[in-house]
Amino acid sequence: TEYKFFEQSLDTRAVELAALRAWALPVGSGFLGVLAAMALWTGRLRRESASHRHTADQLARSQEALQRESGRRLQVAQIQLALQRAATREAFANTLLHQLAQHMGFEQALLCVVTGERLHALARYAGAGDSAQAQLQAGSDVGVLLEEVRRSRKPMAFVPQNEFGLRIQSSTASMAPATVLIQPILAGEDVVAVLELASLKQLSADGVAILTDLMPFVAVSLDRLPTP
């Protein structure tokens, strides 16, 4: 009798174990499947969120670039409008330097036109001396650099060293510039003028882009306007 009870007990445990296996394995597998699905879904959400952030960042940068380009084009148009009122080359050159100073923020400038094989100073912004030509002749180092840019037809931008002699002059002070930009003004393949800008700070990329956009208009205008 005891043996039968023991055998029945084993049979009952076997049934319970079989039932546990029958229910626990599918439930456990389902639970693991749910966890795996949740992990995959979470990873997908993270990837999509990162993709949306990247797209939003790209869109913001594109909008910012478009706004900057639109603002730059507006400034170029304003400068061209002011330049169209000039009746002579000298008036045009002076207006150009003053307009560029407002939009680019430099402290000193010199514009020279090519006459034969030489440079003649047509206008200046700030600086010392009685005239633009006097300023050109007084700054021998500047004259050498302007001639080099005229011959190479390539712009030159640099930070002058102390021994180089380039200074931003005023009636009360003389300061070393932080940056100097010398820009040839081309009409086709020919250099018609050379522009030198000196600033106490680095020129912005937008400011240089404004200058570059204006160069074809400036070249045509200098060639068209009379000299009094």
Side-chain angles (χ1 to χ4, degrees):
T1 304
E2 291 180 358
Y3 176 77
K4 289 183 179 180
F5 282 141
F6 177 73
E7 186 178 6
Q8 289 177 355
S9 176
L10 289 178
D11 291 341
T12 302
R13 290 178 182 178
V15 171
E16 291 176 351
L17 182 59
L20 182 61
R21 289 176 178 175
W23 287 96
L25 289 178
V27 170
S29 299
F31 181 71
L32 291 176
V34 170
L35 289 179
M38 289 178 64
L40 291 174
W41 182 251
T42 301
R44 180 179 178 183
L45 286 177
R46 288 177 178 174
R47 289 192 298 270
E48 290 182 354
S49 178
S51 177
H52 290 326
R53 285 197 301 269
H54 180 67
T55 302
D57 291 342
Q58 285 185 323
L59 181 59
R61 286 194 293 268
S62 298
Q63 290 176 340
E64 182 181 357
L66 288 174
Q67 289 175 352
R68 290 175 60 186
E69 182 178 356
S70 177
R72 188 178 74 243
R73 290 182 182 276
L74 178 60
Q75 292 179 73
V76 170
Q78 291 172 343
I79 296 173
Q80 289 176 335
L81 181 62
L83 291 173
Q84 288 173 1
R85 302 190 183 102
T88 65
R89 297 176 85 188
E90 286 78 4
F92 179 91
N94 280 294
T95 301
L96 173 65
L97 296 186
H98 281 78
Q99 288 289 324
L100 287 177
Q102 293 178 21
H103 292 275
M104 296 182 65
F106 55 78
E107 282 72 33
Q108 186 170 292
L110 184 66
L111 178 63
C112 301
V113 293
V114 177
T115 304
E117 292 298 320
R118 302 184 61 183
L119 289 173
H120 174 75
L122 188 62
R124 67 173 179 174
Y125 178 82
D130 296 332
S131 65
Q133 186 63 24
Q135 182 175 329
L136 173 63
Q137 293 172 348
S140 58
D141 291 332
V142 175
V144 170
L145 292 175
L146 292 174
E147 283 290 348
E148 182 178 341
V149 169
R150 182 184 71 84
R151 289 192 297 268
S152 68
R153 298 183 299 176
K154 296 180 180 179
M156 179 187 300
F158 60 95
V159 177
Q161 303 299 319
N162 292 333
E163 67 273 11
F164 204 73
L166 287 172
R167 308 290 292 178
I168 293 178
Q169 306 282 347
S170 70
S171 59
T172 59
S174 174
M175 297 160 286
T179 185
V180 173
L181 172 64
I182 303 178
Q183 175 74 41
I185 301 175
L186 299 169
E189 296 295 323
D190 298 324
V191 178
V192 297
V194 180
L195 175 64
E196 179 245 335
L197 309 176
S199 176
L200 294 174
K201 58 183 180 297
Q202 294 295 320
L203 297 172
S204 68
D206 286 341
V208 175
I210 289 173
L211 178 64
T212 302
D213 291 345
L214 279 170
M215 287 301 95
F217 178 83
V218 171
V220 172
S221 299
L222 288 174
D223 186 58
R224 177 180 58 85
L225 289 170
T227 301

